Amino acid sequence: MPRFGVLGPLTIESPPGRRMTPRGDHQRTLLAVLLLNANASVPASALVETLWPETPPKSYASNLHTYVSRLRARIEGLEIERDPHGYRLLVEPGELDLLSFRDAAAAGKAAARAGDPAAAAGHYRRALAEWRGPVLSGLHIPWLDADVARLESERLAAFEDCVDAELSDGRHGELTGELQAMITEHPLRERLAAQLMIALHRAGRQADALGVYRELRTTLVEELGVEPGAEARRVHAAVLRGEDPAPGTKTPSVFPLCQLPPDIADFAGREAEITELSGLLGDGTGVPVAVITGEPGAGKSTLAVSTAHRLRRSFPDGQLFVPLAGASSPRDLADVLGDLLRALGVTGPAIPDDVEARAAVYRGRLADRRVLVVLDDAAGPDQVRALLPGTPGSAVLITSRQRLSGLAGADRLALAPLSGAEALTLLERLAGHDRVGAERADAERIAEACGNLPLALRIAGSRLAMRPGLPLGKLAAKLEDEVSRLDELRVSDLQVRGSIALSYEALSPPARRAFRLIGRCRTFDLPAWAVSTLIDDEGAADAVDELVEASLLEATGLDQTGEQRFRVHDLVRVFATELGRELETRAERVATVAKVSDAALCLADTAARRLPRTVPMPLSDQDVPAQPLSAELVERLLRDPGAWFAAERANLVTAVSSLVALGWRRKALRILERLSTYLYLHSHYTDMRTAYEILRDAARESDDRHILVIAEANLTVLLHARGEYERAAEGYRACSKELAALGDNSAQAWVETNLAHCLVGLGRAGESLDAATQARALSTVEDSGTHARRAESAALHRLGKVSEALEIDRRILALARESGDERQLGVALQGLSWSLMLDGRTEQALETIGESVRVLRRTTARSSLAKSLRTQGAILAGAGERAGAVKAYENARRLAGALEERPRELSCTRAIAASWIGDGRADRAIPVLRECLDEFRAMGGKPATGLTLHVLRRAYEAVGETKAAEAAGEEAKRLDVPHDANASTLVRLLLSLTEPAPA
């Protein structure tokens, strides 16, 4: 095995005395890094960063493996092993000068402790002999700068220990020259000066010894503004008295020291944060500074202490913990530095009066040390800057409610609430695993009411631990009441309200007002336009910045419209709401909510009118206020109306609930009508159902007939979309009757149009045509009339009046082309294409449906696109293009499934199953077709049921199940309507897919 050297130029010596060097900078760098971390795993990411500090090549992993392989091949006996984290170079102590140095230095320490200075000196001299010059001289590797600096410190410490041993052994005469040379290189090193003074004094050169002290004092005062330390002063005094300043009486070192509070036993979660902080603080460059910020009660101090305990081995000289009390009464910096200096062994008159001088002494004490400084609860950057060490090797971890934006070079970790799993784990550790497990649902309610905030969870868990018989559900119910929530979140000296209050009281008056105003908004994800509308003041931007800096408001990034978003923690919002109730009148609070809801309604109104009308519900102009926002802001927000609705969707649904709770049902309806334009377009049926059910229930309690029937009508649309045709038809008829009694012709026309489409699905074409005709007669808006005409066309298809339907569809297309609306155009083209197909004009139908699909692909109308793709599949099947037909049906089914449009998804599935019969897979098609049949029957869709039976008959015939085929065929004939051009054409097209594909 060769012997390696890093204490000087990089060397490799192979027996017998042959030296070699790896080829190429990358191989030398790789070997150097592995040697300086011998027998320890070096992460692959660190090696990549070292080899390619700018931008690594795409094949960096392969290149790294190649360099390792080349080193193994070039250096006989070299052992580099791969582990899950990186690479490890294995060497014995005698095979690397660094390990030999450390072994000999350790032996020297042991001999000194055993009282054998001669042996100790011998070991130290052997250790120092390993050094041939600066570490890795001639090879600059920035990633290793901190390691190199640390090794130089080790060398200097070993030399000083060696001098102590030799002074104790009486060898002072041969040391003076060597010590003078070292002091020239390290003029601020007090220990070296003290040793030289001792050596000169013992050599009878008292005047020279005193001169060393004068020169040391002058240098320290001029460069650092401090006096020499206790050891140098003691030796100086002994020389003045003519006494021998024996090295054995020197002041013991205060290092290592640990001031950290104990790590709490029930700490839970935060593993990702600890990993991130460990990486930031151990990066090895400069003095890394990490700042943990977050809202009150987020667990910043607890995380800092836990992280510091895990990093103790990385900072062997110690860990300082400095409470700064920034949130309550910030400590004076001079007092803080005084306490630190006393902890570091500086006492009495050696502590300067001047703050800057104290900071200089503090930095001097930490010079070349590896110390982790934890600054807890900093008030601001000014309180922190003087407490940062000045030399690489140490690191600083700060906690603060402020972001400390003015602290240059710091890395920040914004501490979010715990995850749901972490919150439950903390409750389990506090209240008991079995107890939380037995009442898990109630434990989740407690965590949610606490907003997963560690302080709140700790209080709740402590209350449960104090009362073993208290059911978790009872505490959850108390916490869910916003009025009393903060009262419940207190135990002993812990309380959430007081924690938040400290941050609030530190705000300026404008920021306090802004904080209270924001608390009136029940949404947790606030856009900048809503925040500025709430505050409505020229200084709004400054107030918001102050709240963000204080961690009472979190800036979460930009939304799809480019608008800044903000988040308020639930408990912080509850505190702000409490303050609002105490300090402002109800009229003031109501006025603020009205202002924001007006802005939201006006934005929703403008956005909805720019979207295609997928559901022909008329947008009433009644109760819509004037737009309070500037025209420029409105235009920027609504440049893409769909993106704005997507960004505000959750907030608008919440707003509906909040407005209903205030009794503002009509405004809630106006917002929901406009939101529904977007929700229905994108098939967000769950949100629609939730909001309309809230509105319906409130209208029923207050006996508001008009809002009640509008809510019922919209909920009926959702039944229709799910394929519950019978229930939907019944609901539409009841709503139409009520709207007629209320005299709302516009809404009645919309309901009758939807009824017409529903009746087509039930196979009642005559009734459908009547409903469509009545809808058109009631329509006062062209858009609603167009929807009614589409229903009329569909009914005419089933009545065999294809030419009349064709004429209607051509008129609809003409209107759509005039409108310039691509969604209307795509839908109109789809309707016309199917009429053309039923009229036997296959080529024209193919061309028209192709245009429809192309146009709709450019829009966001995915439901309309799914319908056009399904129509395209049918027309392609009729044109004999079997593969294209199946592909179109598959694309349509995928879209319909994503949109939860079950009837359309089933019809596409039926067509795909028909193609399986043609492919010789009828056995696979039969169970799928049976499922389709069962669902269509449950929906009450007779035409769809009949079509499915025709295809199922063909499947049974293909597998030889004659009786089943005959039964399916007989039932299908009973459901057939002779004049239904739609059904007869679809039967023919579907059955064409059951034929084997041509060779």
Side-chain angles (χ1 to χ4, degrees):
M1 181 72 177
R3 192 173 196 274
F4 301 96
V6 293
L7 303 180
L10 177 65
T11 59
I12 309 169
E13 292 186 7
S14 298
R18 184 170 61 88
R19 289 198 173 194
M20 61 174 295
T21 304
R23 297 173 183 169
D25 290 341
H26 282 147
Q27 287 192 55
R28 286 194 294 274
T29 298
L30 175 61
L31 180 60
V33 173
L34 292 173
L35 286 171
L36 236 60
N37 294 273
N39 300 319
S41 178
V42 183
S45 59
L47 293 173
V48 170
E49 182 183 345
T50 306
L51 294 171
W52 297 283
E54 299 297 330
T55 304
K58 292 182 179 178
S59 57
Y60 64 82
S62 174
N63 290 359
L64 176 59
H65 179 73
T66 299
Y67 292 145
V68 171
S69 299
R70 286 176 181 171
L71 284 176
R72 290 188 183 120
R74 183 163 176 75
I75 304 172
E76 185 178 355
L78 181 66
E79 291 186 57
I80 302 178
E81 66 178 22
R82 185 81 164 92
D83 63 30
H85 304 292
Y87 292 90
R88 185 197 314 267
L89 190 153
L90 302 176
V91 291
E92 296 296 330
E95 297 169 350
L96 175 62
D97 57 3
L98 172 58
L99 298 183
S100 298
F101 162 72
R102 285 176 171 164
D103 278 1
K109 284 183 181 294
R113 284 195 298 268
D116 189 349
H123 290 305
Y124 283 126
R125 287 295 174 184
R126 182 162 50 86
L128 294 169
E130 295 288 347
W131 286 76
R132 297 168 286 109
V135 177
L136 295 173
S137 56
L139 186 63
H140 181 231
I141 305 172
W143 193 79
L144 293 177
D145 284 350
D147 293 325
V148 170
R150 185 172 64 252
L151 284 174
E152 292 293 348
S153 296
E154 285 186 42
R155 176 189 187 184
L156 184 56
F159 174 76
E160 291 171 338
D161 290 343
C162 179
V163 169
D164 276 347
E166 290 180 339
L167 286 173
S168 297
D169 199 37
R171 287 187 272 171
H172 49 271
E174 56 201 75
L175 288 173
T176 55
E178 194 174 6
L179 282 168
Q180 284 171 334
M182 290 295 284
I183 286 178
T184 302
E185 189 176 346
H186 304 281
L188 299 177
R189 195 79 176 184
E190 295 184 39
R191 187 180 178 193
L192 287 173
Q195 289 173 329
L196 179 56
M197 289 162 63
I198 294 170
L200 289 170
H201 177 66
R202 287 182 177 177
R205 299 167 59 184
Q206 185 180 23
D208 291 337
L210 295 174
V212 169
Y213 182 80
R214 285 194 300 273
E215 187 173 347
L216 171 67
R217 182 178 182 278
T218 299
T219 302
L220 289 173
V221 170
E222 289 179 353
E223 295 195 19
L224 299 180
V226 299
E227 294 288 337
E231 173 65 7
R233 293 199 312 274
R234 182 190 67 78
V235 173
H236 176 245
V239 172
L240 283 173
R241 293 192 301 270
E243 300 173 354
D244 180 25
T249 62
K250 67 181 180 179
T251 304
S253 172
V254 298
F255 297 102
L257 76 166
C258 179
Q259 295 183 329
L260 295 176
D263 193 6
I264 58 176
D266 50 23
F267 183 79
R270 301 301 195 198
E271 290 300 324
E273 289 86 350
I274 290 175
T275 300
E276 182 177 349
L277 289 170
S278 299
L280 293 174
L281 296 172
D283 69 357
T285 58
V287 179
V289 178
V291 182
I292 305 174
T293 67
E295 55 218 349
K300 300 179 289 295
S301 298
T302 303
L303 173 62
V305 169
S306 187
T307 301
H309 274 286
R310 297 202 192 186
L311 290 175
R312 285 191 63 190
R313 289 188 179 181
S314 299
F315 297 93
D317 289 321
Q319 303 79 40
L320 296 171
F321 184 84
V322 187
L324 295 175
S328 52
S329 179
R331 292 181 63 197
D332 181 72
L333 189 54
D335 292 341
V336 171
L337 283 165
D339 288 348
L340 282 169
L341 290 178
R342 281 185 282 274
L344 293 171
V346 183
T347 58
I351 299 178
D353 294 331
D354 182 67
V355 172
E356 292 184 5
R358 290 187 178 190
V361 176
Y362 165 72
R363 287 193 294 272
R365 282 285 165 171
L366 295 186
D368 301 323
R369 295 284 184 183
R370 291 188 59 77
V371 174
L372 176 62
V373 181
V374 181
L375 305 176
D376 186 49
D377 193 14
D382 291 343
Q383 197 185 24
V384 164
R385 292 191 184 99
L387 303 178
L388 304 182
T391 56
S394 292
V396 183
L397 179 58
I398 306 170
T399 73
S400 178
R401 299 189 183 199
Q402 304 290 323
R403 280 183 46 79
L404 304 187
S405 300
L407 193 62
D411 292 294
R412 289 170 180 80
L413 174 66
L415 198 58
L418 296 173
S419 69
E422 289 173 334
L424 288 180
T425 299
L426 180 54
L427 280 178
E428 286 174 351
R429 292 182 180 178
L430 292 164
H433 182 277
D434 293 342
R435 186 177 177 190
V436 170
E439 301 177 69
R440 191 171 187 82
D442 289 326
E444 290 173 351
R445 290 170 58 201
I446 291 172
E448 184 176 356
C450 291
N452 289 353
L453 202 65
L455 175 60
L457 288 164
R458 185 165 296 283
I459 292 171
S462 299
R463 289 190 59 186
L464 291 170
M466 290 165 55
R467 297 180 60 188
L470 177 66
L472 270 64
K474 188 170 183 179
L475 178 59
K478 290 182 178 180
L479 293 175
E480 285 168 344
D481 181 357
E482 282 194 4
V483 175
S484 61
R485 184 179 301 174
L486 295 182
D487 291 326
E488 296 296 332
L489 287 174
R490 61 186 303 165
V491 62
S492 186
D493 61 340
L494 297 178
Q495 58 169 308
V496 171
R497 182 185 284 110
S499 179
I500 303 172
L502 287 174
S503 293
Y504 171 76
E505 288 162 5
L507 298 173
S508 66
R512 291 185 185 184
R513 174 179 176 271
F515 177 70
R516 295 194 303 270
L517 290 169
I518 290 171
R520 297 175 190 170
C521 205
R522 296 188 64 82
T523 54
F524 309 133
D525 174 37
L526 287 166
W529 64 262
V531 173
S532 60
T533 302
L534 279 164
I535 300 173
D536 193 19
D537 185 87
E538 288 184 0
D542 292 338
V544 168
D545 288 345
E546 187 175 346
L547 291 175
V548 171
E549 186 70 19
S551 299
L552 291 172
L553 185 67
E554 179 186 358
T556 57
L558 304 180
D559 62 23
Q560 299 95 313
T561 70
E563 188 78 345
Q564 177 68 58
R565 312 291 294 195
F566 298 96
R567 186 187 74 87
V568 183
H569 190 276
D570 193 20
L571 292 177
V572 173
R573 182 189 59 76
V574 170
F575 178 79
T577 304
E578 275 190 359
L579 288 175
R581 284 197 296 264
E582 292 174 10
L583 303 177
E584 287 145 8
T585 66
R586 186 178 190 281
E588 288 174 325
R589 299 197 300 274
V590 168
T592 304
V593 176
K595 190 190 310 179
V596 177
S597 58
D598 282 353
L601 173 54
C602 290
L603 285 169
D605 183 69
T606 304
R609 294 180 190 279
R610 295 182 181 183
L611 288 178
R613 299 292 299 148
T614 50
V615 184
M617 178 66 180
L619 289 180
S620 172
D621 293 327
Q622 294 178 351
D623 311 312
V624 178
Q627 174 60 264
L629 304 179
S630 70
E632 181 184 357
L633 175 59
V634 170
E635 192 54 39
R636 179 172 64 79
L637 290 173
L638 302 183
R639 192 172 293 118
D640 180 348
W644 183 81
F645 269 126
E648 303 298 347
R649 170 183 153 198
N651 281 346
L652 291 174
V653 172
T654 302
V656 169
S657 176
S658 298
L659 292 171
V660 166
L662 285 171
W664 298 355
R665 294 180 299 278
R666 193 154 300 278
K667 181 178 277 192
L669 173 62
R670 294 293 174 252
I671 289 177
L672 185 51
E673 285 172 345
R674 284 140 183 85
L675 176 60
S676 293
T677 302
Y678 171 79
L679 295 177
Y680 196 86
L681 179 65
H682 293 275
S683 301
H684 295 311
Y685 300 141
T686 300
D687 281 351
M688 279 187 71
R689 184 176 303 108
T690 299
Y692 275 112
E693 284 176 349
I694 291 170
L695 195 58
R696 177 199 63 192
D697 295 344
R700 186 175 288 151
E701 285 182 16
S702 60
D703 196 25
D704 190 331
R705 290 174 60 200
H706 188 258
I707 291 181
L708 175 60
V709 69
I710 295 297
E712 290 284 13
N714 277 280
L715 291 169
T716 303
V717 168
L718 302 180
L719 291 175
H720 188 171
R722 288 207 306 265
E724 298 185 38
Y725 295 134
E726 290 288 1
R727 285 182 63 195
E730 181 182 342
Y732 285 138
R733 290 192 192 281
C735 289
S736 179
K737 183 177 179 181
E738 182 69 11
L739 287 166
L742 292 169
D744 190 342
N745 292 345
S746 181
Q748 187 186 2
W750 162 66
V751 170
E752 287 289 339
T753 299
N754 288 327
L755 174 61
H757 283 292
C758 186
L759 290 168
V760 165
L762 286 167
R764 303 176 197 168
E767 294 177 53
S768 174
L769 186 59
D770 291 342
T773 303
Q774 183 178 0
R776 195 145 58 89
L778 289 166
S779 295
T780 56
V781 182
E782 179 58 43
D783 189 36
S784 298
T786 300
H787 283 283
R789 287 190 185 94
R790 290 199 190 101
E792 197 174 347
S793 173
L796 290 169
H797 287 165
R798 283 152 179 81
L799 293 170
K801 299 178 181 181
V802 175
S803 59
E804 293 180 39
L806 189 56
E807 190 59 34
I808 289 173
D809 288 327
R810 282 183 172 138
R811 288 202 300 273
I812 292 173
L813 179 59
L815 289 171
R817 290 196 188 280
E818 288 177 12
S819 73
D821 185 319
E822 288 202 320
R823 185 201 160 274
Q824 287 188 38
L825 177 60
V827 171
L829 286 165
Q830 181 273 329
L832 179 61
S833 71
W834 189 238
S835 287
L836 289 168
M837 188 66 190
L838 297 184
D839 202 40
R841 307 182 194 189
T842 306
E843 288 302 319
Q844 287 179 263
L846 269 176
E847 183 180 340
T848 305
I849 194 60
E851 184 183 357
S852 172
V853 170
R854 288 193 299 275
V855 168
L856 288 171
R857 283 193 191 280
R858 298 197 295 265
T859 74
T860 58
R862 296 190 298 160
S863 179
S864 299
L865 175 59
K867 185 175 182 180
S868 281
L869 284 168
R870 182 182 65 175
T871 302
Q872 187 180 46
I875 295 173
L876 285 168
E881 298 184 27
R882 192 169 186 278
V886 173
K887 184 177 180 181
Y889 274 122
E890 287 174 342
N891 289 336
R893 180 174 68 169
R894 193 176 303 114
L895 262 179
L899 298 173
E900 299 180 17
E901 294 179 342
R902 190 56 177 161
R904 188 168 296 147
E905 184 182 10
L906 286 171
S907 62
C908 293
T909 300
R910 176 180 60 203
I912 294 166
S915 73
W916 293 345
I917 300 170
D919 294 339
R921 294 181 289 168
D923 55 336
R924 179 184 174 189
I926 287 173
V928 173
L929 289 169
R930 281 175 174 164
E931 282 185 30
C932 291
L933 183 62
D934 290 341
E935 289 200 51
F936 280 132
R937 279 176 172 157
M939 292 175 185
K942 291 182 181 179
T945 302
L947 288 170
T948 309
L949 285 164
H950 279 293
V951 179
L952 185 59
R953 173 181 61 81
R954 186 63 61 87
Y956 282 137
E957 289 174 348
V959 298
E961 294 188 24
T962 307
K963 289 185 178 180
E966 289 176 355
E970 287 298 323
E971 187 178 355
K973 285 178 184 177
R974 288 195 298 272
L975 293 173
D976 283 347
V977 179
H979 50 261
D980 188 343
N982 193 79
S984 59
T985 301
L986 269 176
V987 167
R988 175 172 58 81
L989 300 181
L990 287 172
L991 292 182
S992 72
L993 293 174
T994 68
E995 299 295 333

PDB file of all heavy atoms in Angstrom, residues 808-820:
ATOM      1  N   ILE A 808     -81.571  24.213 -38.396  1.00  0.00           N
ATOM      2  CA  ILE A 808     -81.324  24.876 -37.100  1.00  0.00           C
ATOM      3  C   ILE A 808     -79.831  24.936 -36.819  1.00  0.00           C
ATOM      4  O   ILE A 808     -79.291  25.979 -36.411  1.00  0.00           O
ATOM      5  CB  ILE A 808     -82.059  24.129 -35.970  1.00  0.00           C
ATOM      6  CG1 ILE A 808     -83.562  24.335 -36.085  1.00  0.00           C
ATOM      7  CG2 ILE A 808     -81.557  24.592 -34.597  1.00  0.00           C
ATOM      8  CD1 ILE A 808     -84.372  23.496 -35.115  1.00  0.00           C
ATOM      9  N   ASP A 809     -79.127  23.819 -37.048  1.00  0.00           N
ATOM     10  CA  ASP A 809     -77.696  23.773 -36.755  1.00  0.00           C
ATOM     11  C   ASP A 809     -76.901  24.728 -37.648  1.00  0.00           C
ATOM     12  O   ASP A 809     -75.893  25.302 -37.207  1.00  0.00           O
ATOM     13  CB  ASP A 809     -77.167  22.341 -36.909  1.00  0.00           C
ATOM     14  CG  ASP A 809     -77.643  21.430 -35.785  1.00  0.00           C
ATOM     15  OD1 ASP A 809     -77.811  21.924 -34.662  1.00  0.00           O
ATOM     16  OD2 ASP A 809     -77.845  20.227 -36.031  1.00  0.00           O
ATOM     17  N   ARG A 810     -77.347  24.916 -38.871  1.00  0.00           N
ATOM     18  CA  ARG A 810     -76.657  25.874 -39.753  1.00  0.00           C
ATOM     19  C   ARG A 810     -76.838  27.305 -39.246  1.00  0.00           C
ATOM     20  O   ARG A 810     -75.914  28.111 -39.291  1.00  0.00           O
ATOM     21  CB  ARG A 810     -77.191  25.730 -41.189  1.00  0.00           C
ATOM     22  CG  ARG A 810     -76.609  24.504 -41.906  1.00  0.00           C
ATOM     23  CD  ARG A 810     -77.095  24.425 -43.330  1.00  0.00           C
ATOM     24  NE  ARG A 810     -76.385  23.369 -44.057  1.00  0.00           N
ATOM     25  CZ  ARG A 810     -76.959  22.510 -44.898  1.00  0.00           C
ATOM     26  NH1 ARG A 810     -78.274  22.579 -45.121  1.00  0.00           N
ATOM     27  NH2 ARG A 810     -76.233  21.614 -45.523  1.00  0.00           N
ATOM     28  N   ARG A 811     -78.029  27.611 -38.737  1.00  0.00           N
ATOM     29  CA  ARG A 811     -78.258  28.950 -38.198  1.00  0.00           C
ATOM     30  C   ARG A 811     -77.405  29.171 -36.935  1.00  0.00           C
ATOM     31  O   ARG A 811     -76.849  30.248 -36.724  1.00  0.00           O
ATOM     32  CB  ARG A 811     -79.746  29.162 -37.862  1.00  0.00           C
ATOM     33  CG  ARG A 811     -80.622  29.297 -39.104  1.00  0.00           C
ATOM     34  CD  ARG A 811     -81.933  30.032 -38.763  1.00  0.00           C
ATOM     35  NE  ARG A 811     -82.724  29.346 -37.761  1.00  0.00           N
ATOM     36  CZ  ARG A 811     -83.620  28.389 -38.029  1.00  0.00           C
ATOM     37  NH1 ARG A 811     -83.824  27.998 -39.280  1.00  0.00           N
ATOM     38  NH2 ARG A 811     -84.314  27.821 -37.066  1.00  0.00           N
ATOM     39  N   ILE A 812     -77.313  28.132 -36.117  1.00  0.00           N
ATOM     40  CA  ILE A 812     -76.496  28.230 -34.899  1.00  0.00           C
ATOM     41  C   ILE A 812     -75.030  28.473 -35.274  1.00  0.00           C
ATOM     42  O   ILE A 812     -74.339  29.301 -34.657  1.00  0.00           O
ATOM     43  CB  ILE A 812     -76.624  26.951 -34.045  1.00  0.00           C
ATOM     44  CG1 ILE A 812     -78.039  26.836 -33.467  1.00  0.00           C
ATOM     45  CG2 ILE A 812     -75.599  26.938 -32.917  1.00  0.00           C
ATOM     46  CD1 ILE A 812     -78.302  25.524 -32.744  1.00  0.00           C
ATOM     47  N   LEU A 813     -74.539  27.772 -36.305  1.00  0.00           N
ATOM     48  CA  LEU A 813     -73.154  27.935 -36.732  1.00  0.00           C
ATOM     49  C   LEU A 813     -72.906  29.347 -37.251  1.00  0.00           C
ATOM     50  O   LEU A 813     -71.863  29.956 -36.968  1.00  0.00           O
ATOM     51  CB  LEU A 813     -72.804  26.901 -37.811  1.00  0.00           C
ATOM     52  CG  LEU A 813     -71.372  26.987 -38.360  1.00  0.00           C
ATOM     53  CD1 LEU A 813     -70.340  26.810 -37.248  1.00  0.00           C
ATOM     54  CD2 LEU A 813     -71.150  25.925 -39.453  1.00  0.00           C
ATOM     55  N   ALA A 814     -73.850  29.874 -38.006  1.00  0.00           N
ATOM     56  CA  ALA A 814     -73.697  31.236 -38.533  1.00  0.00           C
ATOM     57  C   ALA A 814     -73.565  32.240 -37.389  1.00  0.00           C
ATOM     58  O   ALA A 814     -72.722  33.150 -37.426  1.00  0.00           O
ATOM     59  CB  ALA A 814     -74.887  31.587 -39.430  1.00  0.00           C
ATOM     60  N   LEU A 815     -74.403  32.089 -36.374  1.00  0.00           N
ATOM     61  CA  LEU A 815     -74.322  32.988 -35.216  1.00  0.00           C
ATOM     62  C   LEU A 815     -72.993  32.825 -34.478  1.00  0.00           C
ATOM     63  O   LEU A 815     -72.402  33.811 -34.017  1.00  0.00           O
ATOM     64  CB  LEU A 815     -75.486  32.703 -34.258  1.00  0.00           C
ATOM     65  CG  LEU A 815     -76.879  33.121 -34.736  1.00  0.00           C
ATOM     66  CD1 LEU A 815     -77.940  32.575 -33.796  1.00  0.00           C
ATOM     67  CD2 LEU A 815     -76.985  34.646 -34.805  1.00  0.00           C
ATOM     68  N   ALA A 816     -72.522  31.594 -34.391  1.00  0.00           N
ATOM     69  CA  ALA A 816     -71.263  31.333 -33.689  1.00  0.00           C
ATOM     70  C   ALA A 816     -70.088  31.970 -34.426  1.00  0.00           C
ATOM     71  O   ALA A 816     -69.173  32.536 -33.803  1.00  0.00           O
ATOM     72  CB  ALA A 816     -71.036  29.838 -33.533  1.00  0.00           C
ATOM     73  N   ARG A 817     -70.098  31.878 -35.757  1.00  0.00           N
ATOM     74  CA  ARG A 817     -69.000  32.499 -36.525  1.00  0.00           C
ATOM     75  C   ARG A 817     -69.026  34.017 -36.363  1.00  0.00           C
ATOM     76  O   ARG A 817     -67.979  34.662 -36.275  1.00  0.00           O
ATOM     77  CB  ARG A 817     -69.101  32.114 -37.996  1.00  0.00           C
ATOM     78  CG  ARG A 817     -68.777  30.646 -38.274  1.00  0.00           C
ATOM     79  CD  ARG A 817     -68.505  30.397 -39.744  1.00  0.00           C
ATOM     80  NE  ARG A 817     -68.369  28.990 -40.062  1.00  0.00           N
ATOM     81  CZ  ARG A 817     -67.262  28.253 -39.854  1.00  0.00           C
ATOM     82  NH1 ARG A 817     -66.189  28.818 -39.316  1.00  0.00           N
ATOM     83  NH2 ARG A 817     -67.220  26.974 -40.184  1.00  0.00           N
ATOM     84  N   GLU A 818     -70.215  34.588 -36.278  1.00  0.00           N
ATOM     85  CA  GLU A 818     -70.321  36.037 -36.073  1.00  0.00           C
ATOM     86  C   GLU A 818     -69.802  36.447 -34.692  1.00  0.00           C
ATOM     87  O   GLU A 818     -69.204  37.505 -34.520  1.00  0.00           O
ATOM     88  CB  GLU A 818     -71.787  36.487 -36.205  1.00  0.00           C
ATOM     89  CG  GLU A 818     -72.318  36.466 -37.626  1.00  0.00           C
ATOM     90  CD  GLU A 818     -73.804  36.846 -37.671  1.00  0.00           C
ATOM     91  OE1 GLU A 818     -74.315  37.327 -36.633  1.00  0.00           O
ATOM     92  OE2 GLU A 818     -74.426  36.645 -38.715  1.00  0.00           O
ATOM     93  N   SER A 819     -70.001  35.588 -33.704  1.00  0.00           N
ATOM     94  CA  SER A 819     -69.618  35.937 -32.328  1.00  0.00           C
ATOM     95  C   SER A 819     -68.107  35.968 -32.140  1.00  0.00           C
ATOM     96  O   SER A 819     -67.594  36.695 -31.282  1.00  0.00           O
ATOM     97  CB  SER A 819     -70.214  34.930 -31.339  1.00  0.00           C
ATOM     98  OG  SER A 819     -69.525  33.682 -31.421  1.00  0.00           O
ATOM     99  N   GLY A 820     -67.362  35.171 -32.919  1.00  0.00           N
ATOM    100  CA  GLY A 820     -65.913  35.101 -32.749  1.00  0.00           C
ATOM    101  C   GLY A 820     -65.483  34.295 -31.541  1.00  0.00           C
ATOM    102  O   GLY A 820     -64.302  34.230 -31.220  1.00  0.00           O
TER     103      GLY A 820
END
